[in-house]
Amino acid sequence: MTTIFAGVSVVPMDSERVVEGQTVIVEGDRISWIGPDADAQISAGARRVDGRGKYLMPGLTDMHCHPGTEDDLLLAIAFGVTTIRNLEGLPRHVLWRDRIAAGELLGPTIFTTGPIVEGRPPRYNGMQSVVERDEAVAAVALTARGGYDSVKVYDQLTPEAYQWVVESARDHGLPVVGHIPFQVGLHGALAAGQRSIEHLYGYSQAVQLVNRRAAPPHDLAEHRTWLFDLAEHADTGRVAELAEATRAAGTWNCPTLIVRTRWAADNAEVLARPEMNYLSPLRAAMARYFMGHYPTDPARQAVIDVNAAFVRGLSDAGAGLLIGTDAGLPGVLHGAAAHEELKEFVQAGLTPYRALRAATLDAAAFVGEAGEWGQVSIGGRADLVLLTANPLDDVANAGRMAGVMVRGRWLSDSDIAHLLEDLAARQHALINGPPHAPMPAPVRASAKSELLRFDVTWDGFDLGVEHVVAGPEGSGRRRIASTASFAGGLGASETADVGECRSSVTIDAADVDRSAWFELDTDDGLERVELTRTDDGRVLVTHERPIGGPPDIAIDDPDARALLGRPETALYVRLAERLAGLPVGDAIDVPVIGPTLPPDPTVRAAILHALRLPSTDEDGDGPRYLAEFRRSNWTTASLLVCDRRNRPVRLEHAPDISYWEDAASTESPDPVSVISVVRAELDAS
């Protein structure tokens, strides 16, 4: 269809200018003509958009975000963001990218990295862990095989592993983007030709007045506090030097200033922002929790000031800058956050034009598509935003939209209003409850099997239901199986909602876990992990994933007594069996081999440190235990309450052991720190 913007002022973004009194003609998904109104030839049947008093500019970009659902894509479009770069790839992102390009799905053009490549142990679950050359080669090959656009590197990679990743990416023709690994440093990343740097962390690290302590490996709060410390002791006199080195290396930066300023802001004001209406009640609660627990420090203003100094310096040096937001993190919304980042650029000292160029023309140049989009020009893709005020006068005017065109599809302001109304209604409908988990099939019909149902809640929200079944398998063996259906967010990142989870563990007559499997259904397809104990003291691990999994491995298990499981209710049913008869005040360590909470597929060894607590009047005569799940990069603490037969009645999961120490010493411990798992019914078949 032909669309005509008549009488409009064009902001082409090829320079700091406005061309008034123009007609812009779009045919299909391309701009076919631009010229004075008097010269325009209007074809019959064309759709006419009145541009008088309005400004037409290229659609915006968010070059660092984490969309998890198709609604995130719609939210971006509704705020004029017509191109995004996803920085943590899943199969869904490749599928969305291709469907959008084919016109089958409404959304912004997508560029996406593959799964994050990190050292060992990784900071977060689900990342590809690399310390050896063959692991680097495999991680990059998986990224290439999955159809992703680039390789993302992360904090804990060693210099050797980083170099192997860079070399392997070069072999596959893939750019390397992401964090600057702490041991690599800014100069190492520039020398390696890293295509883009995210968040500016490495710059603060490179300009320390004295040697600072090493980065904390895993704890998020400690890591943020460390960043505050770096900023407070940064030598900003070296900004120009490092900015010039960055320009010379051809490396771009995506500063994501909003992340620092957003989490240093007053939480109540942030959560009262109108766009928060497009979060589901559950995700809004998660944002309140995260922001309420985010570490604060008097030096947080120093972080903002130092980052602003680097943005000014990089701009002055002519180094590439991109607009990115980390949208998908708690309380950082797709689309709306891009406008906040534009304002942050201007507050850092850039002109509105320079900030807008980072979100349009420069973004296209970064991905090698200059002239294809990112400016209003003949032949360019019709990704456009119609505004009611000049964005070059005030960058906030980029948010005063009269409509958005994405790949030639026109959405008027009323269309956008309806889109947002529908999106908000869908999000708030999610409070009606999670899907119901069916009974697990493996031992469903077994004689003498026992069914336990558990309701999972958090801060007043029904997160899901878990069913656990235990029953005989013959030949002295038995099986514990489970299914669980969770609302998005439980055990997952903000960008990877958990669907139905299934597990099964087979136990022999000597009470040894012989085999186990774990399955997860998501928008990305089926993921399955299988564990098999061998007679020579090892556990064999195999993976089945939509784009292929990590290589098969063998984990040593010297005492052959490790439980095979992940820290869900079925594992604690098994743990309770091991703890039967433990005296009050005694503690034992129970080894565990398995993944953590879904969607993490990575299998590692862990320890469940369990302490028998005195019984209380509230919990009755059944035993109580404090169980801390310890893995090299992840911990959680749980209060396990059992009945007189030592079967779990209630589980309270908290981020760490300090919660239970606080709970013992205060009258009102923080309720949003705990996920409650309560046995709802007990059936015997």
Side-chain angles (χ1 to χ4, degrees):
M1 181 176 184
T2 300
T3 301
I4 297 170
F5 297 92
V8 72
S9 295
V10 174
V11 185
M13 289 308 300
D14 55 1
S15 62
E16 191 171 358
R17 65 188 180 116
V18 176
V19 186
E20 299 178 347
Q22 298 291 290
T23 292
V24 177
I25 301 178
V26 175
E27 296 186 70
D29 65 350
R30 297 283 157 175
I31 299 172
S32 62
W33 191 85
I34 303 173
D37 291 333
D39 298 337
Q41 297 183 3
I42 309 300
S43 60
R47 174 174 47 205
R48 188 178 188 278
V49 178
D50 186 358
R52 290 174 297 178
K54 298 182 177 66
Y55 297 79
L56 190 69
M57 68 168 288
L60 301 174
T61 64
D62 186 339
M63 298 299 282
H64 187 128
C65 61
H66 301 274
T69 68
E70 292 183 14
D71 279 347
D72 292 336
L73 307 179
L74 294 177
L75 197 56
I77 291 294
F79 284 90
V81 174
T82 57
T83 300
I84 62 173
R85 183 175 60 141
N86 170 63
L87 265 291
E88 187 174 0
L90 295 167
R92 71 185 69 175
H93 298 118
V94 175
L95 176 64
W96 292 341
R97 181 196 64 192
D98 296 345
R99 290 181 61 204
I100 289 169
E104 300 171 358
L105 177 67
L106 176 61
T109 296
I110 296 176
F111 297 89
T112 180
T113 74
I116 295 173
V117 180
E118 170 66 309
R120 186 155 52 242
R123 183 177 296 279
Y124 299 113
N125 294 319
M127 295 179 172
Q128 299 187 90
S129 185
V130 169
V131 293
E132 304 291 344
R133 181 186 291 272
D134 60 346
E135 292 174 328
V137 171
V140 175
L142 185 147
T143 300
R145 185 168 64 250
Y148 299 103
D149 302 306
S150 56
V151 177
K152 181 180 179 181
V153 293
Y154 216 68
D155 296 339
Q156 307 297 329
L157 284 169
T158 65
E160 296 80 12
Y162 174 79
Q163 193 59 42
W164 294 327
V165 170
V166 169
E167 292 171 359
S168 185
R170 189 178 299 124
D171 291 341
H172 285 277
L174 292 172
V176 173
V177 303
H179 293 201
I180 298 177
F182 297 128
Q183 295 181 52
V184 172
L186 174 63
H187 292 293
L190 297 181
Q194 185 165 319
R195 183 66 175 148
S196 76
I197 294 169
E198 315 300 312
H199 314 304
L200 297 174
Y201 296 161
Y203 288 86
S204 294
Q205 188 180 14
V207 295
Q208 291 303 292
L209 293 169
V210 296
N211 289 331
R212 313 304 304 169
R213 64 188 176 93
H218 304 296
D219 184 85
L220 178 62
E222 288 185 12
H223 181 239
R224 301 311 185 201
T225 302
W226 178 74
L227 292 176
F228 292 145
D229 185 59
L230 289 183
E232 194 171 21
H233 297 88
D235 177 9
T236 55
R238 297 184 57 201
V239 167
E241 167 199 340
L242 296 185
E244 174 57 28
T246 303
R247 184 206 61 78
T251 296
W252 293 62
N253 269 271
C254 194
T256 64
L257 299 177
I258 180 179
V259 176
R260 307 281 79 76
T261 54
R262 167 60 63 83
W263 292 342
D266 178 79
N267 291 346
E269 291 181 8
V270 170
L271 293 168
R273 297 176 66 94
E275 65 265 25
M276 294 300 168
N277 188 50
Y278 308 120
L279 283 177
S280 71
L282 173 60
R283 290 201 182 280
M286 293 173 68
R288 284 194 298 273
Y289 169 77
F290 184 89
M291 297 177 69
H293 291 73
Y294 187 79
T296 58
D297 188 281
R300 62 183 180 273
Q301 186 60 44
V303 176
I304 295 170
D305 293 342
V306 166
N307 284 349
F310 273 113
V311 168
R312 289 193 302 273
L314 290 164
S315 179
D316 292 344
L321 287 170
L322 302 168
I323 291 292
T325 67
D326 238 346
L329 295 184
V332 183
L333 266 71
H334 294 274
H339 294 277
E340 293 186 64
E341 187 71 4
L342 286 169
K343 295 174 186 176
E344 294 289 346
F345 267 47
V346 172
Q347 290 171 7
L350 276 59
T351 65
Y353 170 72
R354 181 67 185 89
L356 288 165
R357 199 180 80 192
T360 54
L361 185 74
D362 287 352
F366 169 76
V367 297
E369 296 187 357
E372 172 73 7
W373 54 275
Q375 62 190 77
V376 184
S377 61
I378 295 174
R381 192 169 67 225
D383 289 338
L384 304 166
V385 182
L386 187 65
L387 307 173
T388 60
N390 186 356
L392 301 184
D393 291 339
D394 183 347
V395 78
N397 290 340
R400 298 187 171 97
M401 295 187 302
V404 176
M405 177 168 276
V406 54
R407 291 181 173 266
R409 178 172 175 177
W410 172 243
L411 300 174
S412 67
D413 52 358
S414 61
D415 292 332
I416 293 171
H418 289 141
L419 184 156
L420 289 173
E421 288 172 5
D422 290 345
L423 194 151
R426 283 199 301 277
Q427 297 305 307
H428 285 266
L430 296 177
I431 196 61
N432 292 334
H436 183 76
M439 287 193 303
V443 292
R444 186 184 209 165
S446 298
K448 301 180 181 178
S449 63
E450 187 173 60
L451 167 66
L452 304 174
R453 169 183 164 154
F454 296 86
D455 292 330
V456 185
T457 61
W458 172 74
D459 194 27
F461 292 94
D462 293 329
L463 291 183
V465 175
E466 294 184 72
H467 281 124
V468 180
V469 176
E473 285 288 299
S475 302
R477 296 194 173 203
R478 58 195 179 94
R479 181 174 295 184
I480 295 179
S482 71
T483 59
S485 293
F486 296 136
L490 179 60
S493 70
E494 281 286 287
T495 60
D497 289 348
V498 171
E500 184 178 296
C501 311
R502 297 177 291 274
S503 71
S504 177
V505 179
T506 299
I507 306 155
D508 66 16
D511 197 42
V512 174
D513 292 4
R514 301 305 310 179
S515 63
W517 55 258
F518 309 95
E519 286 185 346
L520 172 65
D521 282 332
T522 70
D523 289 343
D524 303 303
L526 177 69
E527 295 191 4
R528 182 181 175 96
V529 183
E530 295 185 2
L531 283 67
T532 304
R533 179 169 267 121
T534 65
D535 293 333
D536 59 355
R538 297 185 301 166
V539 174
L540 301 182
V541 181
T542 59
H543 293 266
E544 178 184 339
R545 303 188 74 191
I547 59 169
D552 296 348
I553 61 172
I555 297 177
D556 290 334
D557 178 28
D559 63 5
R561 294 285 292 168
L563 302 181
L564 305 182
R566 62 186 174 201
E568 294 178 303
T569 304
L571 178 65
Y572 289 90
V573 169
R574 185 84 174 96
L575 175 66
E577 296 176 347
R578 286 281 180 94
L579 299 180
L582 185 70
V584 172
D586 280 8
I588 62 171
D589 287 339
V590 178
V592 178
I593 296 175
T596 57
L597 293 175
D600 174 34
T602 309
V603 175
R604 293 193 187 90
I607 291 293
L608 265 169
H609 177 75
L611 168 69
R612 172 76 183 273
L613 301 173
S615 299
T616 66
D617 293 338
E618 176 186 355
D619 292 320
D621 297 331
R624 301 167 68 246
Y625 308 93
L626 184 59
E628 189 173 17
F629 187 94
R630 300 171 178 171
R631 202 165 91 157
S632 55
N633 68 331
W634 190 84
T635 62
T636 189
S638 303
L639 179 66
L640 170 60
V641 180
C642 297
D643 61 18
R644 293 182 182 181
R645 293 172 57 189
N646 227 61
R647 296 171 303 179
V649 174
R650 179 165 56 92
L651 278 161
E652 304 281 351
H653 298 299
D656 55 60
I657 203 74
S658 65
Y659 172 81
W660 305 112
E661 296 168 353
D662 293 341
S665 60
T666 63
E667 294 183 1
S668 301
D670 183 3
V672 298
S673 294
V674 175
I675 293 174
S676 296
V677 183
V678 179
R679 193 170 77 198
E681 59 188 47
L682 174 63
D683 294 330
S685 58

